[in-house]
Structure formats: structure tokens, C-alpha cells
Amino acid sequence: VAFSSSGTLLATANTLDNTVSVFSVSGTTLTPVPGSPLATGADPASVAFSPAGNLLVAADAGSSELSLFSVDGISVAPLGTPTISTGLGSEPRAVTFNPAGSLLTVADEQGNSLLFYPFNGTTVNPDGWSVSTGESAEPLSAAFSPSGALLASANFGTNDISVFSVGPPSATIASPSGGGTYARGGGGGTSFSGGEGDGKGVGGGRG
């Protein structure tokens, strides 16, 4: 579920129906926008609005793709090119934008990676790339820090968090100095394993 940055729209993924529902928000009243619910690929798992609020993206876990919708006021409609493939065998579980709105990031559970697609404010470039979150990590979500300088993924398979620095240009992704994964300790605390991060870096392109 996600609000637009203006707070005037609310979207949710309907996994079993292969749709997303979008509502206009006025006070405490939600009203479906025209055309809602909108068709997506198979098993949409999450949604995200671009920071400017002009794009809505759904992560379609069951069909290895992203569904893209243009947003103009309360008008929400599929883009002219309505989907982007995330690669054969991938399972996109979560989508998020960096605060600057220049990078769309996808948590790929089956690929044990984060996928990155440049965004120029209106168009998502389908020629993205990936960064490993570690073997058997199975990332289910990802989030940028408010400044956009850090990116973290929550890894279901390894019960830890992978942390990456995001430097200029925003397409530069690498592990922080001495970085790696933060794992929840048996006592409920947080431990740090630097070795896990030594091999993390920018992966190859996804054509």
C-alpha cells in the first residue's frame, strides 16, 4: 500500500485479483478513481508512487515484470509501454524510488538481488542492472534513507539486512566502507558481519 507524495491518492496491490486499486483521498474519505481497479501482471506484491506523483509502479511477482501507470490528478492509466520485464526467473516483491526520483529500485526475491532502473521523471529506462544481496538472501523489501545516500534491503532467506551506499551519480551502488549485512542476534540485538559485504558491488546489466 502506498500514498502519493501529495497524500491525495492511495494505492494497494490486489495479489489474488491481479489488479491495483487506487483511491482519491479527501480527509478520511476514500473514493475509487475512474477505472479502478486496474489490471496488472500476475500476483502484484507491492506498489509505489514516484516522488513527483506522476507514476505508479506495481511489482508483479508472478509474471516477472513491473506494471507502469501514468498519474494525472485522479486519472490513472497504463503507460503506452505498460510493463517492464525484470528478467526470466525473477520475482519482484517490492518497488521503491530514491528521494531524488531518479532511480527505481526493485527487491527481487528469487534473484537474491536488487534491480535498478533509471527514471528521468517521466520514463523508466528498461535497461537496468542488478546488485547482489547475498546468496539465498531472498530480499522482500528495500528502502532509501531520507537523503538517498543509503539503501537497505530486508532479506527473508538469511534473516538479515543488506546495506549499500548510493553515491553520485545515483546509479553508483556499492557496499559502505567495511560494509556488509546486519543480522539480528539471538538475544534480540543487532550484530554486524562485514565479511558478507565484501563481494557486493555493481552487477551486470539486465538487457
Side-chain angles (χ1 to χ4, degrees):
V1 64
F3 281 97
S4 62
S5 57
S6 64
T8 57
L9 292 176
L10 174 66
T12 185
N14 305 316
T15 303
L16 297 181
D17 291 339
N18 299 325
T19 62
V20 293
S21 294
V22 184
F23 304 89
S24 62
V25 182
S26 178
T28 58
T29 301
L30 302 181
T31 304
V33 303
S36 178
L38 299 114
T40 64
D43 305 328
S46 67
V47 291
F49 286 95
S50 63
N54 63 328
L55 184 72
L56 174 64
V57 181
D60 302 329
S63 52
S64 303
E65 63 187 0
L66 306 176
S67 292
L68 309 177
F69 303 89
S70 63
V71 181
D72 184 7
I74 63 169
S75 175
V76 182
L79 285 180
T81 302
T83 61
I84 288 178
S85 172
T86 53
L88 183 66
S90 64
E91 189 172 353
R93 282 289 176 180
V95 285
T96 187
F97 286 87
N98 68 332
S102 58
L103 199 61
L104 172 62
T105 301
V106 181
D108 176 8
E109 181 182 6
Q110 288 301 309
N112 300 312
S113 62
L114 297 177
L115 312 179
F116 300 92
Y117 301 92
F119 179 58
N120 65 8
T122 57
T123 304
V124 177
N125 185 341
D127 187 15
W129 68 94
S130 66
V131 172
S132 172
T133 52
E135 185 177 356
S136 302
E138 300 179 18
L140 294 184
S141 65
F144 286 91
S145 62
S147 68
L150 289 177
L151 171 65
S153 68
N155 304 323
F156 173 77
T158 48
N159 194 33
D160 59 17
I161 298 171
S162 297
V163 182
F164 303 89
S165 61
V166 184
S170 61
T172 302
I173 312 292
S175 297
S177 177
T181 57
Y182 293 83
R184 181 176 177 181
T190 300
S191 60
F192 176 70
S193 173
E196 290 293 326
D198 293 343
K200 293 188 178 73
V202 177
R206 298 178 67 91

